[in-house]
Amino acid sequence: MSMTTAFSLDPRTKLFLVACLSSCAVITTHWAFLSGLWVVSILLLLVFGISPWDMMKKIRLLLYMVIFIAMMQSIFISAGQALITIGNISLMTTGGLLMAMEFVFRMLIIVCSAGILSTSNSREIIQGLIQLKLPYELAFMASLGIRFIPVFAEELRNTMTAVQLRGIDIRVLPWRQKIEVMTGLFQPVVAGAIIKSRSLAMSIEMRGFRAYPTRSSYLLLKYERKDYVVMICSGLLTAILMFGYFFWFQA
Amino acid sequence: MNREIALELKNLVFSYRPESILIEQMNLALFKGEAAALVGPNGAGKTTLGKLMAGILKPSSGQLIIFGEEGKTLPLHRIAQRVGYCFQNPEHQLLAVSVEDEIAFGLKYRSAGQDHISRVTESLLKLFEIERLRKAFPLNLSWGEKRRVVLAASLALDPEFIILDEPTNGLDDEQIETLNRVLGGLHERGIGVLLISHNQSFVEINAQRILQMEEGKIVNDYCL
């Protein structure tokens, strides 16, 4: 499949592909199987023309968080052989480490799935969901949510700049004050979001949102042969993988 | 007259993306106590230049000197103690749940004494004629009121220089008159001001020096 072919797949096909990948990642619990699945998702990213390296760089903060959670999780699992101990307390065990690896691989697969979806724009994804019979209102809400993520990120950056413009270095404040400032900021940020959503709701109403029971759409998605091929192949492959997993790993 | 420089740009270059340079090789000095205005068409780079001078944006190359110190390496919170900045959109700078908390915000976390905070807050509430709004939630105020609150909050830090981006937007004639009075007061106290504005009459009243900007360059620099 060439890169452009993969890109031009129907968003519903991509959603199906992502559903297959994420289902496998969620259902399975063996690190070796999950690592293989991760390699498959990396290959899929390459087919869709996304550089896995660039993608990992973009989400490195999330990756740090995932690794941190995995390490914390591994501390509380006592199964297996102890690797690090303090007195009688096992801080890290082989069981905990394997669980941490599973968690990391699972998250990486889900992130790669999101990467596949990012090859379609949000409008196409929403139209795909509508044509999959998701109620328009829900699909529209999802699209607004996606649209406003960068807006909120920008607002958060502005808020942090505004704090610094008041001559405050939040890093050097004592913890009590740091928490006070952050919780104090939370209220205007949330209130601002509510005020914005109220204005948005009003402007949507003024444009006649839900004026008629059904909506027509300029963009209409149509399955092509390649979509059917990809869906059948990925469905079959998922079934085989699941069968293989339960046969080999769970037997 | 030997005037001291407050903010200085030396061969400053700035671009958001490497392929398109927005400000190219700019040399400019603003003096202590000076009231200058940056004028020009939309998209000329006025706000970007204002943000560079306030240290919010960092230059791609060249030097930004803020009161004798290299601005590139100074953290924003330290620059803000000497150079104030008011965004075009006041909502970006509202951080507290009441107008009086908003004005006191910066002082409170800079370990100012309670007496000092109260004194400064009261005088600014009075100066900007917003005493009746002291308990109001800042985001619920009108645009003009939000502007006055943000300006009052910036002045609470007692900056030596202040940059105001489109300060008359959303203000009625009476409120502009109040702003003119406040700016006159700042000038008397020796506080430098850079106004970024499209309002010609406002600029003529409040600025002695006009910097005309077009396509990222200062094309005209003259005194009124």
Side-chain angles (χ1 to χ4, degrees):
Chain A
M1 198 189 294
S2 74
M3 198 179 86
T4 44
T5 314
F7 256 106
S8 65
L9 283 175
D10 189 292
R12 288 168 293 178
T13 311
K14 291 176 192 170
L15 282 167
F16 184 77
L17 202 60
V18 165
C20 289
L21 256 182
S22 339
S23 306
C24 286
V26 172
I27 293 167
T28 56
T29 53
H30 196 285
W31 70 271
F33 186 88
L34 284 165
S35 65
L37 210 56
W38 179 54
V39 172
V40 172
S41 54
I42 292 280
L43 291 175
L44 277 172
L45 277 185
L46 291 170
V47 169
F48 278 90
I50 299 171
S51 157
W53 179 243
D54 286 349
M55 194 176 161
M56 295 303 158
K57 269 202 293 192
K58 272 184 203 161
I59 55 150
R60 63 180 186 280
L61 271 177
L62 177 74
L63 290 181
Y64 293 144
M65 209 166 77
V66 166
I67 292 167
F68 175 74
I69 294 170
M71 297 312 285
M72 291 306 288
Q73 195 184 11
S74 70
I75 290 171
F76 294 103
I77 291 164
S78 53
Q81 202 182 334
L83 292 172
I84 302 172
T85 53
I86 296 179
N88 289 331
I89 304 161
S90 310
L91 269 188
M92 193 170 282
T93 62
T94 49
L97 210 57
L98 286 176
M99 284 276 277
M101 277 169 71
E102 284 164 23
F103 173 72
V104 171
F105 279 129
R106 196 170 287 129
M107 292 308 290
L108 287 174
I109 295 164
I110 290 168
V111 165
C112 289
S113 307
I116 294 171
L117 279 185
S118 72
T119 56
S120 288
N121 64 43
S122 60
R123 176 71 191 89
E124 288 169 340
I125 301 276
I126 297 308
Q127 186 60 26
L129 292 172
I130 291 165
Q131 288 186 229
L132 286 171
K133 304 292 177 215
L134 188 82
Y136 179 75
E137 286 77 5
L138 289 182
F140 184 72
M141 274 201 299
S143 80
L144 277 186
I146 293 168
R147 214 194 102 205
F148 275 88
I149 289 171
V151 175
F152 283 126
E154 179 67 28
E155 274 189 9
L156 205 62
R157 262 197 300 273
N158 282 333
T159 306
M160 294 318 288
T161 303
V163 171
Q164 292 180 72
L165 279 174
R166 300 282 171 89
I168 301 165
D169 183 7
I170 207 158
R171 291 167 309 176
V172 300
L173 286 179
W175 271 102
R176 195 182 59 80
Q177 284 196 336
K178 213 178 273 191
I179 293 167
E180 200 178 293
V181 172
M182 295 311 282
T183 46
L185 291 179
F186 185 71
Q187 209 169 335
V189 168
V190 171
I194 292 169
I195 291 169
K196 209 163 271 156
S197 60
R198 211 162 42 194
S199 321
L200 190 70
M202 209 183 292
S203 60
I204 290 168
E205 293 292 328
M206 284 169 74
R207 289 195 202 173
F209 187 71
R210 294 210 299 183
Y212 300 100
T214 52
R215 279 181 68 96
S216 56
S217 175
Y218 179 70
L219 175 70
L220 275 179
L221 303 172
K222 215 175 152 195
Y223 285 123
E224 289 176 33
R225 187 180 293 167
K226 65 186 175 213
D227 293 302
Y228 291 113
V229 172
V230 171
M231 279 202 280
I232 291 167
C233 289
S234 46
L236 277 175
L237 202 66
T238 305
I240 293 167
L241 280 174
M242 285 292 94
F243 178 76
Y245 170 74
F246 284 109
F247 188 76
W248 290 106
F249 288 91
Q250 300 289 298
Chain B
M1 190 171 71
N2 189 14
R3 292 191 295 172
E4 280 184 79
I5 293 174
L7 308 172
E8 190 176 15
L9 311 180
K10 284 183 180 172
N11 301 317
L12 185 133
V13 177
F14 178 79
S15 63
Y16 285 104
R17 285 183 299 275
E19 67 272 15
S20 62
I21 291 171
L22 196 67
I23 290 172
E24 200 172 353
Q25 297 291 333
M26 186 172 284
N27 290 291
L28 178 69
L30 293 176
F31 300 93
K32 284 185 183 176
E34 182 176 51
L38 193 56
V39 298
N42 286 339
K46 303 188 295 293
T47 296
T48 303
L49 184 59
K51 284 183 176 174
L52 278 163
M53 286 181 156
I56 297 169
L57 295 174
K58 298 290 175 196
S60 307
S61 68
Q63 272 186 300
L64 162 68
I65 297 161
I66 297 170
F67 289 100
E69 290 186 85
E70 176 54 72
K72 253 182 172 177
T73 51
L74 276 177
L76 183 55
H77 65 91
R78 274 207 42 213
I79 298 173
Q81 289 167 16
R82 303 187 79 174
V83 182
Y85 186 89
C86 288
F87 283 107
Q88 203 166 354
N89 182 347
E91 288 180 353
H92 289 163
Q93 268 173 294
L94 295 171
L95 306 165
V97 288
S98 73
V99 168
E100 57 185 4
D101 283 350
E102 193 68 59
I103 297 171
F105 191 91
L107 293 172
K108 187 177 164 191
Y109 293 104
R110 283 171 61 193
S111 312
Q114 193 52 49
D115 284 350
H116 176 67
I117 296 175
S118 304
R119 205 172 49 247
V120 170
T121 307
E122 286 306 320
S123 69
L124 286 164
L125 285 168
K126 199 171 169 197
L127 181 66
F128 285 92
E129 297 163 2
I130 46 176
E131 291 152 294
R132 67 193 162 83
L133 301 171
R134 65 171 68 232
K135 297 286 176 202
F137 184 53
L139 282 168
N140 279 342
L141 302 177
S142 73
W143 195 259
E145 287 165 344
K146 282 175 192 164
R147 280 210 159 275
R148 283 187 282 165
V149 172
V150 165
L151 184 53
S154 300
L155 290 177
L157 304 179
D158 203 14
E160 291 167 65
F161 204 98
I162 189 156
I163 300 168
L164 310 178
D165 195 352
E166 298 291 357
T168 56
N169 271 6
L171 299 190
D172 60 27
D173 289 347
E174 206 177 311
Q175 290 166 345
I176 292 177
E177 193 48 50
T178 307
L179 185 58
N180 287 340
R181 259 203 325 272
V182 171
L183 291 174
L186 294 181
H187 187 59
E188 277 171 19
R189 283 164 56 196
I191 297 169
V193 181
L194 176 67
L195 304 167
I196 301 171
S197 180
H198 280 109
N199 185 331
Q200 205 176 340
S201 58
F202 172 75
V203 162
E204 280 169 8
I205 291 169
N206 293 295
Q208 300 124 16
R209 182 181 173 195
I210 307 290
L211 303 159
Q212 197 179 341
M213 201 173 175
E214 272 172 34
E215 294 176 1
K217 293 185 186 77
I218 301 285
V219 291
N220 214 345
D221 179 353
Y222 60 95
C223 292
L224 285 174

